[in-house]
Structure formats: structure tokens, C-alpha cells
Amino acid sequence: MDVAFIGLGHMGEPMAANLVGAGVRLSVWNRSVPAEERIAALGARVESSARDALRGSPTALLMLANEAAVDHVLERGTVEFRHNVAGRLIVHMGTTSPDFSRGLATEIREVGGRYVEAPVSGSRTPAESGALVGMVAGDSDDVEFVR
């Protein structure tokens, strides 16, 4: 399975490391290079931009800090948004407002993408041990795939 993971911060880095350890063919992008280098040392492929990560994988996991970061990475509100999400499953794992998530889901679906909301509950230690709790919502087939 080819998966892009965008956002290797406090929670994202150990989550990505666990995916690589589980045998997922992972490509990653992050604003800061050191986190990318640590995950690359485990076997992930580093992409030069979020756009490249999104467009290079059928599934993208977003573990980003806030709504503005999600919009920026997806290039929401620009013509590139369609190219970044169409034909892909976007899994938004951060915590954002319900209105933001509903609007994002609608826009992704309108351009031919799929959307799963999967905010996680926990901290870095559970992320490192693979013990985060995910609250997953979306179309049943997509939710099952993410699980």
C-alpha cells in the first residue's frame, strides 16, 4: 500500500514511524527537514513538497496542527486543490471544528476525492507505542479501509 503522510510533528512522527515499521510504503513531507530525515532512515521516501506527496499516493494521511495548515497543504481555495485531492482518499487526523471538517469533506467530494475524518486522542507516548485512539468517520468503505 502506498500512503503519503504529511505532518511529522509531535504526534505525526511516531505515527509515521509505526506505519513504516508495519510495512506500509510511506512517502512523507514535513516543513522541517530533521523529522523527514529520521523517518527516511526508517525506510520512508521523502517528497520535495506536500503537493508531490499528495499527488504521488492514492491515500494521504494529514496530521497537521490546525485548519490553516490543512488548507495550506491541500491548497484549498486554489485551482491546485482539485489536482491534489481528486481520485485520492484524504484522511484528516488533526482536531478541527466540525464546520471546518464538514466543509472540507464537501469540497473534497465535489472534485472527486474521498474523505475520512479521523482525529486521534492521546499524546506522544501512546503515539510511539501505537496506542492512540482514533475517532473515524466517513463513507463506510473508506472507514473500513482506514481501519
Side-chain angles (χ1 to χ4, degrees):
M1 169 185 356
D2 290 314
V3 174
F5 197 105
I6 299 174
L8 302 173
H10 187 69
M11 300 282 285
E13 184 177 351
M15 292 166 71
N18 284 330
L19 289 170
V20 172
V24 174
R25 288 187 313 255
L26 200 67
S27 63
V28 298
W29 180 82
N30 195 59
R31 288 180 304 174
S32 65
V33 173
E36 290 178 332
E37 291 173 342
R38 288 189 296 269
I39 297 301
L42 300 175
R45 182 179 71 248
V46 175
E47 298 292 352
S48 61
S49 67
R51 183 185 290 174
D52 289 343
L54 288 164
R55 294 182 186 183
S57 296
T59 302
L61 306 177
L62 309 179
M63 189 59 191
L64 300 165
N66 55 44
E67 295 169 1
V70 172
D71 284 345
H72 177 75
V73 161
L74 294 178
E75 298 182 81
R76 194 170 174 203
T78 74
V79 297
E80 297 301 328
F81 176 76
R82 173 185 302 276
H83 302 293
N84 290 340
V85 303
R88 292 175 182 79
L89 174 59
I90 305 299
V91 183
H92 170 39
M93 301 179 78
T95 302
T96 54
S97 74
D99 286 342
F100 176 84
S101 187
R102 278 190 295 273
L104 181 60
T106 297
E107 289 183 38
I108 288 172
R109 290 181 181 121
E110 284 175 350
V111 298
R114 297 170 10 245
Y115 179 80
V116 167
E117 181 178 19
V120 295
S121 177
S123 61
R124 187 169 179 97
T125 300
E128 290 169 343
S129 65
L132 290 172
V133 174
M135 295 153 278
V136 185
D139 291 340
S140 59
D141 289 345
D142 293 334
V143 167
E144 187 57 36
F145 176 78
V146 168
R147 284 190 179 147

